[in-house]
Amino acid sequence: MMRPEQKKSPSDRKPIPVTRPFLPPLAEFIPYLERIWESRWVTNGGPQHQELERALCRYLNVPFISLFNNGTNALLTALQALDLPEGSEVVTTPFSFVATAHAIKWNRLTPVFSDVEPTHGNLDPATIEAAITPRTRAILPVHVYGNPCDTAAIADIAERHDLKVLYDAAHLFGVTRPARPPLRDGDLSVLSFHATKVFGTFEGGAIVCSSEAMKKRIDSLKNFGFTGETTVAEVGMNGKMNEVQAAFGLLALTHIDEALARRRAVAERYTAALAGIPGIGIVRPSVGVTPAWPYFPITVEAAHLGKSRDDLFEEFKRHDILPRRYFYPLISSFAPYRDLPSAAPEKLPVAARFAEQVLCLPIFPDITGEEIERTITVIKAT
């Protein structure tokens, strides 16, 4: 036992991750599991799965949603459902998790990287227009950190050039705005329900669509292409969400408003504490948007702070705090993509600056006040 006069050494401290899943009390999960055991229906669109789809449609105010076992398979299937000719170009962002571009390549399409705007790191409509060629068939923007893209401008570009629009909305759960819900924009939107996201099903994901016909197509594609008991209409995959994942999602949904409120409270504490520190910028939510704060991104300007983002990153690690450099390095710098003409660094100056400066601080519903203050103290001590 530690004596009262003893203090914890740095090695005794519990590391603070950038995020960790919000887990409701285990006792609340038991009834859901009992229903699965009693029904003996553990996958293939069972009762929990069907109930979660209906509940999410209501909560997100969307007409149709199809659940998946993970967000990457949802993204792969969404691109397949758009029926883009093999070899077509898809304009997308280099400032995202690599799954965004991988889904394009897996569909035998060519990603064309376009630069981002300097406020939120979202795809810049002005650079989208410049990236379009006769082979372009779609645009795949990302709502970075849950800040909605300029969907009106992107819709205008898509209409003028006859392009499909698929949104990577992995960060968008819980984000609202007064006008049209951002998940209704584009042809399709893809959500991630990974354990690190605002809403999770351990692993999981979903595609949001606007028509019953498209939902049926997506449901077929995620089930090997079956359209009936003995009929396979096209090549599909196994992307089905199982009943345990769906059950956890149903439970998590009963706590989601509480979880979002806690995240917003943490973000308010960070914002108040970090405001005015030279060299520290906060990637703030879009005007009029109610944020979900899946991450709390700051930018670090070495010329004003006196140390670089990477210096601060290493300083955090020395204090057992584990922020993340989301998204660094750029997708365009990875081996499968760096030789593309659109991946040239000089074509992506804003994205490169974001990747060199951004740092996401720890934020999750059950982060403690002491953990928040430890994080703030490291920044203020620089």
Side-chain angles (χ1 to χ4, degrees):
M1 180 179 294
M2 186 181 297
R3 294 178 180 178
E5 66 271 17
Q6 289 180 309
K7 293 184 179 179
K8 286 186 177 182
S9 68
S11 60
D12 294 325
R13 290 183 303 213
K14 184 178 180 180
I16 308 173
V18 70
T19 187
R20 58 178 174 237
F22 180 63
L23 298 178
L26 180 59
E28 294 185 21
F29 194 32
I30 301 302
Y32 293 87
L33 294 176
E34 288 175 341
R35 287 198 287 272
I36 295 171
W37 258 246
E38 289 167 2
S39 72
R40 299 294 192 269
W41 197 337
V42 297
T43 188
N44 286 33
Q48 313 290 319
H49 174 283
Q50 298 302 323
E51 185 179 348
L52 182 57
E53 284 195 342
R54 292 190 295 268
L56 287 172
C57 282
R58 291 192 299 269
Y59 187 83
L60 298 171
N61 190 20
V62 296
F64 299 98
I65 195 165
S66 181
L67 298 175
F68 276 75
N69 52 9
N70 62 59
T72 301
N73 281 341
L75 199 56
L76 285 165
T77 302
L79 278 164
Q80 185 180 358
L82 293 179
D83 291 322
L84 307 177
E86 184 174 330
S88 298
E89 294 177 348
V90 179
V91 178
T92 193
T93 175
F95 190 65
S96 179
F97 186 63
V98 72
T100 304
H102 280 359
I104 296 171
K105 291 278 282 186
W106 270 107
N107 276 279
R108 300 181 183 275
L109 306 168
T110 301
V112 175
F113 297 113
S114 180
D115 208 3
V116 304
E117 45 81 22
T119 304
H120 298 111
N122 287 331
L123 206 53
D124 187 340
T127 67
I128 293 174
E129 193 99 43
I132 293 171
T133 75
R135 294 178 60 199
T136 307
R137 293 294 180 271
I139 308 169
L140 203 175
V142 177
H143 299 295
V144 179
Y145 311 132
N147 287 304
C149 297
D150 186 345
T151 55
I154 292 171
D156 179 65
I157 293 169
E159 184 176 358
R160 285 189 283 107
H161 294 273
D162 192 25
L163 304 177
K164 301 288 188 181
V165 179
L166 165 61
Y167 281 103
D168 183 332
H171 301 169
L172 203 63
F173 195 100
V175 176
T176 60
R177 64 184 181 193
R180 177 185 173 90
L183 282 172
R184 288 176 173 259
D185 289 317
D187 294 278
L188 300 170
S189 288
V190 173
L191 291 159
S192 171
F193 300 151
H194 186 267
T196 59
K197 298 298 189 289
V198 168
F199 170 83
T201 58
F202 300 132
E203 283 274 3
I207 300 176
V208 175
C209 62
S210 59
S211 73
E212 186 175 4
M214 178 57 86
K215 175 171 167 52
K216 287 182 177 179
R217 173 89 188 285
I218 291 167
D219 286 347
S220 170
L221 286 171
K222 74 175 180 183
N223 187 30
F224 306 101
F226 277 98
T227 56
E229 184 180 354
T230 59
T231 304
V232 174
E234 58 187 316
V235 176
M237 63 155 59
N238 183 5
K240 301 184 299 295
M241 176 181 283
N242 65 59
E243 285 290 90
V244 176
Q245 286 178 287
F248 185 79
L250 286 168
L251 175 57
L253 200 57
T254 68
H255 291 271
I256 188 62
D257 289 336
E258 175 191 1
L260 288 170
R262 291 187 186 183
R263 284 179 174 274
R264 288 165 186 151
V266 176
E268 288 172 6
R269 176 68 189 111
Y270 277 142
T271 300
L274 302 180
I277 298 179
I280 297 293
I282 299 171
V283 182
R284 298 176 184 270
S286 307
V287 176
V289 168
T290 301
W293 292 106
Y295 302 103
F296 190 89
I298 63 170
T299 55
V300 180
E301 294 187 49
H304 296 98
L305 187 66
K307 61 175 58 179
S308 70
R309 185 275 312 275
D310 288 347
D311 291 335
L312 182 58
F313 178 65
E314 294 300 325
E315 184 68 19
F316 271 124
K317 289 198 292 185
R318 283 190 285 273
H319 288 80
D320 300 309
I321 300 169
L322 308 175
R324 292 294 296 269
R325 294 170 290 182
Y326 284 139
F327 294 98
Y328 170 83
L330 293 177
I331 298 174
S332 51
S333 70
F334 291 133
Y337 305 104
R338 66 170 66 116
D339 292 332
L340 291 171
S342 63
E346 62 271 18
K347 294 184 178 181
L348 308 167
V350 182
R353 186 167 68 250
F354 250 110
E356 293 293 334
Q357 292 184 345
V358 76
L359 192 63
C360 291
L361 303 184
I363 185 169
F364 39 90
D366 61 349
I367 190 171
T368 66
E370 185 271 337
E371 290 173 323
I372 297 169
E373 295 309 315
R374 276 172 59 189
T375 303
I376 292 170
T377 297
V378 170
I379 297 174
K380 287 187 171 182
T382 58

